[in-house]
Amino acid sequence: MITAVPAGAVPAGADRGPAGGRYGAPSAGVAKPVWKKCATKKYPALQCASLKVPLDHADPRGRKITLALSRVPHTSKKAYQGPLLVNPGGPGGSGLTLAGFVAASLPKGVAAQYDVIGFDPRGVGRSKPALDCGPGHFTPVRPDSLPVGDALEKANLDRVRTFAKNCASRYGDLLPYIDTVSAVRDMDAVRRALGAGRITYFGYSYGTYLGVVYAKLYPGRVRRMVLDSVVDPTGVWYDDNLAQDHAFNSRHRAFMAWVARHDAKYGLGRDPEEIETAWYAMRAALAKKPANGKVGASELEDTFSPGAYYDGYWPSLAAAFAAYVKDGNDDLLAEAYEDFGAVDAAGDNGYSVYTAVQCRDAHWPRDWDEWRDDNWAAYEKAPFMTWNNAWYNAPCAFWPTDAKEPVDVANDSVPPVLLFQATDDAATPYEGGVMAHRLLAGSGLVVEQGGGNHGITLSGNACLDRHLAAYLADGRVPRGDGEADAVCDRLPEPEPPASGAAGGASKGTALHGLLGFRG
């Protein structure tokens, strides 16, 4: 039986913040954002502004940095529920366009009640200064991620050491303040500038960790909170990344099984294990001779890893895989790399913030022998992305700042939080949603059974979206008797394009274009 609990009430004695929980003038001494039109064809109501915040919140009169903000203002004249801050994850993801997406994707009657607020966290995108520690760090062709032999390990280690060194030389004064807690303090500065006593928050992926840390530091300033694809807050960040490796491998094997079920289209056989063997043979061949001179072994992993985030990419990836294996055709593989794997300047910025935040947030081993042992052990069971993921995070072994202690996010003071989690999610494995549910007293967990996509609300699943809309409308979370409080069926798997059609290229839903692939 499912019951519901109201999430609107603030716990007794909790800090309501300025204005007693109403919405109006900003707090004393805080500048009000000046909103200007920045409409796009897709999001015609979008507005933009900026806000200066302290680089070091412990020194509020010291150096200031600038946050870029966006807004879709509320339109309801009868029911106004205040600001809804949104974040797409990362760390390092830009949230400016996400405000337009969320406002356009929610039911009109719900969206009309909120000012939907997007923001580029410190260091990201249009916020100033924006980090770029290593322009072209992912320019192909990189060394093979699989460090078989001393030479390949040294080549990869040299890359990550150089990246960390460049970050120190370019941004040594900023790096101590690029972290989750500082970003959470920024969020509260946004709240004050908006004149809101409390905020509603909606975060995807890493944005879920941003949310639970905000709730821990400011429980009385949370009105409602939605967390979709939930980071395990007890594993930040080294253990979480090792757990990802196994989940990514499972999703890659699910893709192999899908290709086998569609042998009539792709002609790679009906045995998933044989298809997987063919994929690794393709990887070995590309390590020796990159496709079109740009897709080597590491780039191949970059290209196929988005398929673990969103199965709508599977037809495109399968077509490129089949063309290479059956016909020796490099072109579709190179095209798939450009669509899904290539990193542009925005990606360089996002990765710089990703490393800065994760390396500062929590302890990482500084002894490379520990990394080597742990990742080879993971590789034995999960070869698909283990070493690619290791090198992605390896700058943290050589990071120029010391590490903070992770925040204990266990919380019995925050209003009921609504959690969404797919059982087969690779980037934020299912256990993260279950753990957050345990740690956040009174929370409700909605599970997409059998689903493997990352970011599952507002992407076509009507069952999930009904729970989301109901919660944002009246603050009620479902309450069930089992591990999950409510269960929704997954969306159907994609179908290959009709015979004679193009390879089935899909750039994903609008949501998956906004979420950072690494979390």
Side-chain angles (χ1 to χ4, degrees):
M1 185 176 94
I2 295 178
T3 58
V5 203
V10 177
D15 177 13
R16 286 180 175 271
R22 302 301 297 169
Y23 313 101
S27 304
V30 178
K32 184 177 181 179
V34 178
W35 297 101
K36 299 180 181 179
K37 292 181 178 180
C38 58
T40 67
K41 185 176 181 180
K42 188 176 286 187
Y43 307 122
L46 202 62
Q47 301 173 349
C48 293
S50 62
L51 178 69
K52 290 189 180 298
V53 298
L55 172 64
D56 178 2
H57 283 277
D59 181 17
R61 298 182 183 276
R63 179 181 173 184
K64 299 296 191 293
I65 59 175
T66 302
L67 303 180
L69 309 179
S70 64
R71 177 178 76 167
V72 176
H74 74 284
T75 56
S76 174
K77 297 180 180 179
K78 295 182 178 180
Y80 175 45
Q81 302 212 47
L84 168 60
L85 272 65
V86 297
N87 180 272
S94 169
L96 298 183
T97 305
L98 184 64
F101 169 80
V102 169
S105 302
L106 287 170
K108 290 183 179 180
V110 175
Q113 299 176 33
Y114 288 95
D115 291 329
V116 184
I117 308 293
F119 61 101
D120 279 355
R122 53 176 55 204
V124 175
R126 295 184 188 176
S127 291
K128 297 178 182 178
L131 273 59
D132 190 351
C133 297
H137 181 70
F138 293 97
T139 299
V141 173
R142 308 197 308 276
D144 187 342
S145 66
L146 190 62
V148 180
D150 293 343
L152 272 176
E153 183 179 70
K154 181 179 184 303
N156 280 292
L157 282 171
D158 286 348
R159 286 185 73 251
V160 300
R161 283 194 178 105
T162 297
F163 184 88
K165 182 179 179 181
N166 288 345
C167 229
S169 63
R170 290 177 180 228
Y171 305 111
D173 57 335
L174 296 176
L175 293 182
Y177 309 103
I178 307 296
D179 61 275
T180 295
V181 170
S182 294
V184 159
R185 307 266 186 220
D186 291 344
M187 287 169 55
D188 202 56
V190 172
R191 177 196 61 78
R192 295 196 306 273
L194 295 173
R198 293 178 290 157
I199 62 168
T200 298
Y201 176 79
F202 184 3
Y204 291 94
S205 194
Y206 162 77
T208 67
Y209 186 64
L210 203 60
V212 295
V213 174
Y214 185 90
K216 182 68 173 188
L217 299 186
Y218 305 109
R221 299 175 189 175
V222 175
R223 188 168 183 271
R224 294 171 190 158
M225 181 169 287
V226 180
L227 308 178
D228 181 334
S229 304
V230 186
V231 166
D232 182 347
T234 67
V236 294
W237 290 110
Y238 186 72
D239 289 344
D240 276 350
N241 276 283
L242 287 171
Q244 273 188 340
D245 297 334
H246 297 275
F248 269 98
N249 204 70
S250 294
R251 284 300 287 161
H252 187 60
R253 285 178 172 166
F255 170 55
M256 299 292 105
W258 180 88
V259 173
R261 288 194 294 275
H262 296 287
D263 178 55
K265 175 66 178 179
Y266 300 111
L268 291 169
R270 297 181 181 180
D271 184 337
E273 291 188 5
E274 291 182 1
I275 294 172
E276 187 176 14
T277 298
W279 192 90
Y280 284 104
M282 173 175 68
R283 186 195 184 284
L286 292 170
K288 297 176 181 177
K289 183 182 178 183
N292 281 11
K294 67 169 63 172
V295 186
S298 295
E299 290 75 24
L300 181 75
E301 292 164 343
D302 298 345
T303 302
F304 278 75
S305 64
Y309 287 81
Y310 175 58
D311 60 18
Y313 300 142
W314 287 359
S316 295
L317 296 172
F321 179 17
Y324 182 86
V325 170
K326 292 166 57 182
D327 305 324
N329 184 336
D330 288 3
D331 293 340
L332 282 183
L333 206 54
E335 183 181 329
Y337 168 71
E338 293 296 334
D339 285 344
F340 306 124
V343 176
D344 58 12
D348 283 337
N349 165 240
Y351 177 65
S352 298
V353 176
Y354 172 95
T355 50
V357 170
Q358 294 218 349
C359 299
R360 179 73 167 129
D361 266 3
H363 170 74
W364 293 76
R366 294 287 184 156
D367 181 352
W368 183 251
D369 289 344
E370 185 174 348
W371 287 71
R372 183 190 296 114
D373 291 346
D374 288 345
N375 282 281
W376 275 120
Y379 176 84
E380 288 301 314
K381 296 181 178 179
F384 171 52
M385 282 294 291
T386 290
W387 275 106
N388 188 295
N389 200 24
W391 297 120
Y392 196 84
N393 292 284
C396 293
F398 311 102
W399 204 245
T401 65
D402 58 359
K404 291 186 169 186
E405 290 297 319
V407 176
D408 177 0
V409 302
N411 200 329
D412 60 5
S413 300
V414 69
V417 175
L418 182 60
L419 311 170
F420 290 94
Q421 186 66 45
T423 55
D424 299 338
D425 186 351
T428 51
Y430 177 72
E431 292 76 14
V434 174
M435 179 58 70
H437 188 26
R438 291 173 183 162
L439 294 173
L440 300 173
S443 61
L445 174 61
V446 180
V447 167
E448 186 182 54
Q449 187 65 44
N453 288 340
H454 183 67
I456 54 177
T457 56
L458 302 182
S459 57
N461 190 318
C463 175
L464 298 172
D465 290 349
R466 281 194 298 271
H467 285 288
L468 173 64
Y471 176 76
L472 291 176
D474 64 18
R476 293 179 177 269
V477 298
R479 184 72 70 234
D481 297 328
E483 185 173 69
D485 297 296
V487 177
C488 294
D489 291 335
R490 60 154 295 156
L491 293 174
E493 288 184 341
E495 291 293 327
S499 181
S506 168
K507 301 298 175 62
T509 66
L511 172 65
H512 292 95
L514 295 172
L515 300 185
F517 280 149
R518 293 283 178 163

